[in-house]
Structure formats: structure tokens, C-alpha cells
């Protein structure tokens, strides 16, 4: 085991504050940049990709010691950070969020606090996160790190409702030890990898059914992060209303306000919003899961998310050889081509001033209203009665579009709505 070189630093950095969280100017600027981005790519990658069964494979009755032997076979020879970042940037995405450590406990970076990491435990011997961080900075892509609050391999993690059959010794649970381990790793991530725009936590829900509420000591941990990098945002995929000290609100698989998957439905805060979803069915690579959403579906998700004033974080599970799946790359290319034309109606916009309609939604930028007609029922697009406009035109061609009043409603009357993914009409809002 490596020497715990940063333990003292981490302990000094964590202090208990009795004051309400007040974000810094740097943090507020990061929130603004984040909200303007509207589109990011999630990357779930670890030694679980070798099994081709998704990122929760260890939880399916495997022994952690046997599972960990896969690290000796993890050699992603085709990994190329430059190619990854370029493909993601060309897709129109503005940021990347990658798993630094998932629930299986394997660290995808060179950590001083465990030998169970990509540099020490694998023959690859390269720091994936370091290479990705350098390339993101070079190509102007913001970088976020996913970090798991739970661990199915460490004895000192107090067992929750998952990972019961991995061979851990529950009698050795030691929260102080585990909490120190996490904070030491977070200190590394926010010290050795340049500017990190967000830490994306996951796993709080592992103790959401405890008889006595489990204290994760999040305020102190959030304070550590904000002290190390004042501009770093904190998000937590806990499926709750945001806690004190958090800077963004996350929704899993559903749009804000929806709850088809049973993980959302919580109240929507005034913080910047993000919804994460998969490109196929799984987060981590699953060899049998080739059921990728088609391009129109993905663009529809992006538009509807922006219409709610939120970001779409779209997931890809890289292959064990270090390549992004060919179908995922194809979808990225398609989305990039669409955003090259319509990006102005997505980036830097506010959400729609009215709820989603049967025909679609809208986004807004100042007095410019972008009406996104996704599923037209006719050539007459009825705007809700709270919208007043003085001009309407096709976004792409600039061709004037007639409109009329029907009672309190404005009705847009394009001559025809061509077949396609999204027909966009730009209107000038009055008042």
C-alpha cells in the first residue's frame, strides 16, 4: 500500500462550518457556464467493461477478490484521449463527466491511497484521467469527475443496501477511515488534474433505508471541494431536493418534473439542472446491449431537456480496448451535424416560457423565442396564451411565416412543415 502522503492535508482542509453555504464568484461563474452548455457526455468506464455486463456486475453475487483479478487483464490499448475528446467536441458537447471511481472501488487514476487503480493494478500503467484532463484543457472542453460515495470492495465502508455478497467483512466497518480515504482521493482529483468544473457524486441512496439516518458528513466534504477549487461545482445523484452546499440538481433518466423510472419526481430547485440518460440501455459497456436510441430520439431528448432549462448528460460506455463503440460514435457525429445548424437554439438559452406542448417545446434567448416543432399535428402551431410575438420566420432559411390570433392565442401558419427531426421557427417576443 502506498504511503498516505496527503492525509494531513485532507484533514486540515475539512472544517465544520455552522454557516449557510455562500457560493463564491468563481462558483457562480461556473454555474452560468454549465447552464449555457446544455449538452455533455457521460463516460462510465472501468474494469467492469472487461466483463461486458455493465457497471454493476460486481453486485450480482461476485466475490470482490476474484473480480479484482480482472485488473491484471485491463489493457485498453486503443485508448486515445485526443480522439475521444475530438469526437465529443465535434458532437457539439461542451463537457465530459467520467467515472473516477465507481461502486466497484477501482480508481481510474493514479491514487496514493490504494493500489487498486489503473496505474498500479493493471499492465496499462497509464493515468487515464491525467491524459483526458490534459486533452480537455487543450481542446476547450470542461471536465467533471464522477465519484462514488459507496464501495463494494473496502471493508471500512459501512455496508448499505447493495453489495452484500462481495466478501467484505462487515465487522471491520470504520466510517472515519473510509471518509478520510474519500477526502484524500478528492483532494488528489482537485489538486493533480487541473481545473475540474464539477464533482458528480453517486451512492447516497445506498443508506436511504437505514433505520437510523446515515450521516455522510456531506457539508464538510462539500466545503473541502469548494476550498480546493472555488469554481468547482458539487452535484449529487441522490434523487432528493438539493442539499446545502450543492451547486447543481441532477435527475436520472427522466426530465425534470417527470418520474417514469422511479428515481425522480422531486421538486425542481432554482439551481442549474442536469438530466443524465443512456444512449442505449446501460451505463457501463454491455456487449449484448446494442439497442441504441436513434438520432431523432436523442435530438428530441436534447431539445426537450433544453426546453425545461436543463442540460442533457448523455452516456456512453467505452469498450475494454479503449474505443468508444462505433454506434455511439455514429450518433455523436449525427448530433454534431444537427447542432452545427441548430446550436444557437440550444446553447445559452433559457427554458421555454410555457410548458411542453403536443407539438413540441421552445427555448428562449432574450427576446428571441425558438419554437421547436417536434411532432406537428397540422401546419397550424398554436402558442399558449401567455406568448405575444411581433415577428416569425423559419430559423434556417429566414423565410417569413404568417401568424394570426385566435382568441387569446397566437397561431403560427407555415406554408408547410417539412419532414425532419425538428422544425424550428424563430419568433420575436413582445413584452
Amino acid at each position: 500500500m502506498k504511503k498516505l502522503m496527503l492525509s494531513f492535508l485532507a484533514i486540515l482542509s475539512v472544517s465544520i462550518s455552522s454557516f449557510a453555504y455562500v457560493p463564491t464568484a468563481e462558483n457562480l461563474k461556473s454555474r452560468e457556464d454549465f447552464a449555457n452548455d446544455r449538452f455533455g457526455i457521460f463516460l462510465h468506464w472501468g474494469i467492469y467493461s472487461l466483463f461486458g455486463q455493465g457497471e454493476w456486475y460486481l453486485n450480482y453475487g461476485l466475490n470482490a477478490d476474484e473480480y479484482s483479478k480482472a485488473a491484471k487483464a485491463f489493457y485498453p490499448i486503443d485508448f486515445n484521449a485526443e480522439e475521444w475528446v475530438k469526437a465529443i467536441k465535434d458532437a457539439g458537447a461542451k463537457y465530459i463527466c467520467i467515472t473516477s471511481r465507481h461502486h466497484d472501488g477501482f480508481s481510474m487514476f493514479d491514487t496514493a491511497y490504494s493500489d487498486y487503480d489503473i496505474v498500479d493494478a493493471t499492465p496499462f500503467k497509464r493515468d487515464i484521467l491525467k491524459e483526458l484532463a490534459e486533452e480537455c484543457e487543450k481542446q476547450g472542453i470542461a471536465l467533471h469527475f464522477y465519484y462514488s460515495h459507496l464501495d463494494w470492495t473496502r471493508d471500512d465502508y459501512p455496508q448499505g443496501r447493495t453489495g452484500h455478497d462481495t466478501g467484505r467483512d462487515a465487522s471491520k466497518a470504520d466510517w472515519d477511515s473510509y471518509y478520510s480515504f474519500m477526502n484524500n482521493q478528492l483532494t488528489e482529483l482537485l489538486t493533480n488534474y487541473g481545473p475540474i468544473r464539477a464533482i458528480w457524486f453517486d451512492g447516497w441512496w445506498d443508506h436511504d433505508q437505514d433505520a437510523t439516518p446515515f450521516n455522510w458528513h456531506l457539508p464538510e466534504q462539500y466545503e473541502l471541494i469548494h476550498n480546493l477549487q472555488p469554481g468547482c461545482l458539487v452535484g449529487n445523484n441522490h434523487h432528493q431536493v438539493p442539499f446545502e452546499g450543492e451547486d447543481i440538481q441532477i435527475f436520472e433518466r427522466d426530465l425534470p418534473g417527470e418520474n417514469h423510472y422511479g428515481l425522480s419526481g422531486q421538486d425542481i430547485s432554482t439551481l442549474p439542472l442536469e438530466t443524465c440518460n443512456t444512449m442505449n440501455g446501460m451505463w457501463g459497456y454491455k456487449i449484448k446491449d446494442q439497442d441504441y436510441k436513434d438520432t431523432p430520439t436523442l435530438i428530441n431528448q436534447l431539445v426537450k431537456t433544453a426546453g425545461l432549462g436543463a442540460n442533457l448528460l448523455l452516456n456512453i460506455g467505452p469498450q475494454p480496448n479503449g474505443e468508444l463503440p462505433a454506434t455511439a460514435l455514429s450518433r455523436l457525429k449525427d448530433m454534431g451535424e444537427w447542432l452545427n445548424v441548430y446550436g444557437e437554439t440550444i446553447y445559452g438559452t433559457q427554458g421555454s416560457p410555457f410548458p411542453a406542448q403536443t407539438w413540441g417545446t421552445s427555448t428562449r434567448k432574450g427576446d428571441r423565442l425558438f419554437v421547436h416543432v417536434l411532432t406537428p399535428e397540422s401546419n397550424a402551431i398554436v402558442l399558449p396564451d401567455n406568448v405575444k410575438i411581433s415577428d416569425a420566420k423559419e430559423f434556417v432559411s429566414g423565410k417569413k411565416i404568417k401568424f394570426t390570433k385566435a382568441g387569446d392565442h397566437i397561431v403560427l401558419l407555415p406554408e408547410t412543415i417539412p419532414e425532419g427531426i425538428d422544425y424550428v421557427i424563430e419568433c420575436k417576443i413582445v413584452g
Side-chain angles (χ1 to χ4, degrees):
M1 186 69 67
K2 299 176 184 176
K3 290 184 66 177
L4 306 185
M5 297 180 292
L6 299 178
S7 297
F8 183 65
L9 173 62
I11 292 171
L12 285 180
S13 299
V14 177
S15 62
I16 299 176
S17 175
S18 59
F19 300 99
Y21 170 54
V22 178
T24 62
E26 297 99 319
N27 187 279
L28 294 174
K29 179 61 168 60
S30 289
R31 292 186 188 188
E32 181 182 2
D33 292 342
F34 172 83
N36 285 334
D37 284 351
R38 286 296 177 247
F39 183 33
I41 294 297
F42 214 172
L43 297 169
H44 273 71
W45 199 32
I47 60 172
Y48 44 79
S49 67
L50 283 166
F51 300 98
Q53 299 296 322
E55 76 288 350
W56 272 53
Y57 189 55
L58 176 57
N59 187 58
Y60 303 153
L62 277 69
N63 179 274
D65 289 338
E66 289 298 311
Y67 174 91
S68 68
K69 294 175 183 178
K72 294 183 179 180
F74 192 47
Y75 194 88
I77 190 170
D78 294 315
F79 171 71
N80 186 306
E82 180 181 3
E83 291 179 0
W84 276 27
V85 176
K86 184 179 186 304
I88 289 168
K89 183 177 182 178
D90 288 349
K94 301 297 185 181
Y95 63 99
I96 292 170
C97 182
I98 187 170
T99 48
S100 64
R101 185 177 70 95
H102 207 272
H103 312 325
D104 68 349
F106 184 80
S107 298
M108 290 291 284
F109 64 102
D110 188 17
T111 175
Y113 298 95
S114 171
D115 291 328
Y116 193 41
D117 67 64
I118 194 164
V119 172
D120 294 291
T122 79
F124 195 55
K125 303 298 181 188
R126 286 162 51 188
D127 190 332
I128 292 292
L129 297 195
K130 177 72 74 174
E131 295 180 27
L132 196 65
E134 291 172 352
E135 200 56 45
C136 282
E137 189 168 12
K138 187 183 300 182
Q139 296 195 37
I141 295 292
L143 183 61
H144 302 181
F145 286 148
Y146 168 111
Y147 190 84
S148 175
H149 264 136
L150 68 91
D151 193 307
W152 293 328
T153 64
R154 291 180 62 96
D155 288 331
D156 57 356
Y157 169 67
Q159 293 195 31
R161 61 180 171 89
T162 64
H164 291 170
D165 301 319
T166 62
R168 289 178 296 155
D169 187 345
S171 69
K172 295 181 179 179
D174 184 340
W175 169 249
D176 289 341
S177 170
Y178 183 70
Y179 187 65
S180 177
F181 164 75
M182 287 196 296
N183 288 336
N184 286 332
Q185 283 207 322
L186 290 166
T187 299
E188 290 178 313
L189 290 171
L190 293 169
T191 303
N192 301 332
Y193 295 86
I196 303 304
R197 197 174 65 179
I199 296 294
W200 204 100
F201 285 115
D202 192 20
W204 176 94
W205 37 260
D206 196 43
H207 282 279
D208 63 2
Q209 297 177 5
D210 290 7
T212 302
F214 187 80
N215 186 357
W216 290 95
H217 293 90
L218 295 180
E220 301 94 321
Q221 193 168 68
Y222 292 172
E223 187 175 16
L224 167 66
I225 292 167
H226 290 135
N227 285 340
L228 288 168
Q229 290 200 26
C232 185
L233 306 175
V234 172
N236 197 324
N237 187 37
H238 45 45
H239 313 142
Q240 308 291 312
V241 173
F243 301 156
E244 185 80 11
E246 294 173 7
D247 304 296
I248 61 176
Q249 184 175 8
I250 298 166
F251 298 86
E252 184 175 345
R253 290 191 182 269
D254 273 311
L255 297 178
E258 295 182 350
N259 193 20
H260 300 298
Y261 288 87
L263 301 173
S264 300
Q266 61 269 33
D267 289 343
I268 300 171
S269 73
T270 58
L271 294 176
L273 310 176
E274 178 184 72
T275 183
C276 58
N277 210 334
T278 55
M279 192 176 282
N280 48 2
M282 297 292 293
W283 301 100
Y285 177 67
K286 184 174 182 179
I287 194 168
K288 291 181 67 175
D289 183 8
Q290 299 301 312
D291 188 20
Y292 283 81
K293 300 173 180 71
D294 60 20
T295 300
T297 298
L298 294 175
I299 291 175
N300 189 290
Q301 283 186 357
L302 176 61
V303 172
K304 286 184 175 180
T305 305
L308 289 168
N311 291 10
L312 175 64
L313 182 62
L314 184 61
N315 182 75
I316 298 171
Q319 297 170 175
N321 67 340
E323 290 183 305
L324 302 179
T327 305
L329 288 171
S330 176
R331 297 294 187 271
L332 290 180
K333 182 175 181 295
D334 291 344
M335 296 186 79
E337 291 173 353
W338 187 86
L339 282 163
N340 279 338
V341 177
Y342 295 100
E344 188 178 359
T345 73
I346 301 296
Y347 305 128
T349 60
Q350 296 173 300
S352 176
F354 51 82
Q357 304 294 299
T358 55
W359 48 258
T361 188
S362 73
T363 53
R364 181 175 180 173
K365 190 177 289 185
D367 65 355
R368 303 168 70 194
L369 182 72
F370 303 108
V371 176
H372 294 267
V373 183
L374 301 170
T375 53
E377 297 174 336
S378 71
N379 280 359
I381 308 302
V382 181
L383 301 180
D385 58 14
N386 66 321
V387 178
K388 311 300 179 186
I389 65 171
S390 63
D391 185 65
K393 62 184 179 181
E394 288 186 348
F395 174 74
V396 173
S397 70
K399 180 181 177 181
K400 291 287 186 179
I401 289 178
K402 295 179 181 179
F403 59 93
T404 188
K405 288 194 69 175
D408 293 330
H409 298 276
I410 298 292
V411 182
L412 300 170
L413 297 167
E415 293 178 5
T416 182
I417 297 179
E419 291 186 6
I421 297 171
D422 181 12
Y423 177 65
V424 182
I425 301 171
E426 179 178 343
C427 302
K428 184 174 182 180
I429 297 178
V430 177

